[in-house]
Amino acid sequence: MGDVVKACKKAKIKATPRQLRYALATFLVGDEVGLKMVQLILAHSKIATTLDMYTDGSEQGRDAAREALARRNNAA
């Protein structure tokens, strides 16, 4: 991780490698990259780790799920 820290300092980015990793995972999940692929990129041995850390349990996430179900229901 030394290279990442050096690159951040050179670019004047105030972020730790852990913060960058979290941001990457969050962007991938938000862009609907498959969770299995996110698991592989992050080298998690278990998909549960990826699911627990990076899936959305917020009210906004629940609203999105409700809307998706409503669209499917209306399409049928």
Side-chain angles (χ1 to χ4, degrees):
M1 289 289 185
D3 291 338
V4 172
V5 173
K6 288 178 189 174
C8 284
K9 285 182 181 178
K10 185 175 180 178
K12 297 181 182 176
I13 296 172
K14 294 182 180 180
T16 66
R18 183 181 188 104
Q19 290 168 324
L20 293 173
R21 178 182 170 91
Y22 189 86
L24 170 65
T26 301
F27 291 141
L28 292 173
V29 170
D31 287 343
E32 299 180 2
V33 171
L35 289 173
K36 189 66 176 175
M37 181 55 64
V38 176
Q39 175 197 9
L40 293 171
I41 291 169
L42 298 175
H44 290 153
S45 60
K46 297 181 181 182
I47 191 73
T49 303
T50 309
L51 289 167
D52 289 344
M53 294 180 76
Y54 303 109
T55 55
D56 191 358
S58 68
E59 185 62 34
Q60 181 181 7
R62 289 189 290 275
D63 289 344
R66 283 187 208 107
E67 290 170 11
L69 288 170
R71 283 193 303 274
R72 284 188 174 267
N73 190 34
N74 291 334

